[in-house]
Amino acid sequence: IAAKADWPPLYDEARLKDCAVPVAALVSYDDIYVVRELSERTANLLGDKCLLWITNQFQHSGLRDDPTVFTKLLEMTRGEGAIPS
């Protein structure tokens, strides 16, 4: 998909850098669909307002597989808890 030349850019980097909304994301070290480094690079565009929970505890479907994942991510965006280790 990334090699398709007839697609517009997937991300507007300037808008991501200006985003004021707090963001939290679960990133798996060994995600079978998304390269971790690409997730980290995208999150870096958001700066300090983006918190990453990087783990092997959950895979790509972690949000669907365990309802506590969403709760934890929401808490992270509200500053109500530390990033799990």
Side-chain angles (χ1 to χ4, degrees), residues 16-77:
L16 286 175
K17 289 176 184 177
D18 290 337
C19 179
V21 178
V23 177
L26 176 70
V27 177
S28 173
Y29 274 108
D30 298 315
D31 193 307
I32 62 172
Y33 299 108
V34 181
V35 177
R36 178 182 45 84
E37 293 84 1
L38 294 177
S39 296
E40 292 174 320
R41 198 174 318 150
T42 303
N44 284 335
L45 292 172
L46 291 163
D48 293 339
K49 52 197 162 297
C50 184
L51 302 174
L52 294 182
W53 174 7
I54 302 174
T55 184
N56 264 340
Q57 183 179 359
F58 302 100
Q59 291 301 311
H60 191 81
S61 60
L63 190 62
R64 180 181 52 228
D65 295 342
D66 186 336
T68 64
V69 170
F70 180 78
T71 302
K72 186 61 192 171
L73 293 171
L74 190 57
E75 288 172 356
M76 288 168 58
T77 64

Side-chain angles (χ1 to χ4, degrees), residues 1-15:
I1 293 175
K4 283 190 62 66
D6 60 337
W7 279 23
L10 295 177
Y11 302 105
D12 183 331
E13 291 187 20
R15 284 191 167 196

